[in-house]
Amino acid sequence: MTGETDRREAAEHLALTLVGAGMQRMGARTIAAFLFSEEESLTAGDLARELGVSAGSVSGAIRMVAQMGLIERIHVAGSRREHFRMRDNAWTTLYSRQHSVVDDVLGAVEKGVEAVGPGRAHDRLEYMRDFYAFLLNEAPMLVERFERQRRGGPRS
């Protein structure tokens, strides 16, 4: 796949896959546009042209993708428009931000474990608590191993 049509089809396929995983359509298409772009940065107008939509319709998607930590606003000398670029560490940033959500879930589940007596509910809540505690404990080591592997270091 090297042609422009192939690139666009692959970007749309990725976007549809992200939508299937629960992401909003315009946010998914915006992420795909950044991933498949060879440009250092994109403006709302650039995204609108790439996606074939109005600049206004991408503003909410830009905000959502920026809040996820995948893109960041940058200054481009001589331009009066807002420019955005994909973060170098976008996926580890996103993964790390999801930890706070898991932390919140873990706290709520812990209160549930404390609130119920022995029985099925307690067992289910305890299992959920233990699972999320395990994930939170293991995740930093996984990210570290990934970064080390990306740098060409030992994979241990």
Side-chain angles (χ1 to χ4, degrees):
M1 280 202 220
T2 55
E4 182 63 20
T5 300
D6 291 338
R7 184 189 69 77
R8 286 183 187 272
E9 286 177 6
E12 277 300 313
H13 178 70
L14 175 58
L16 287 173
T17 302
L18 293 172
V19 169
M23 185 174 285
Q24 293 178 355
R25 189 169 199 279
M26 191 53 69
R29 293 186 74 211
T30 298
I31 289 170
F34 275 101
L35 285 168
F36 281 84
S37 177
E38 291 295 329
E39 302 299 322
E40 170 66 20
S41 67
L42 298 170
T43 65
D46 296 333
L47 286 165
R49 279 188 296 283
E50 176 67 23
L51 301 175
V53 298
S54 71
S57 68
V58 297
S59 65
I62 289 171
R63 192 170 32 260
M64 180 191 82
V65 174
Q67 287 173 346
M68 292 171 70
L70 296 176
I71 63 173
E72 61 188 352
R73 187 183 325 236
I74 62 167
H75 174 73
V76 173
S79 177
R80 294 170 53 172
R81 292 201 166 104
E82 288 185 313
H83 287 255
F84 299 88
R85 72 173 172 205
M86 194 86 181
R87 288 181 181 270
D88 290 337
N89 58 350
W91 303 108
T92 52
T93 299
L94 176 63
Y95 191 74
S96 297
R97 287 186 180 192
Q98 289 174 342
H99 282 238
S100 64
V101 174
V102 174
D103 243 350
D104 293 345
V105 170
L106 185 58
V109 171
E110 184 60 46
K111 286 182 182 178
V113 169
E114 294 168 5
V116 299
R120 289 186 182 120
H122 185 271
D123 293 346
R124 286 191 299 264
L125 288 163
E126 192 174 54
Y127 182 90
M128 184 179 180
R129 179 203 59 201
D130 293 348
F131 175 72
Y132 279 105
F134 175 81
L135 287 180
L136 283 174
N137 187 51
E138 294 294 315
M141 292 179 284
L142 289 174
V143 170
E144 183 181 315
R145 281 181 41 211
F146 170 76
E147 292 295 348
R148 192 170 46 244
Q149 178 182 330
R150 292 281 300 162
R151 291 188 305 267
R155 295 181 183 207
S156 59

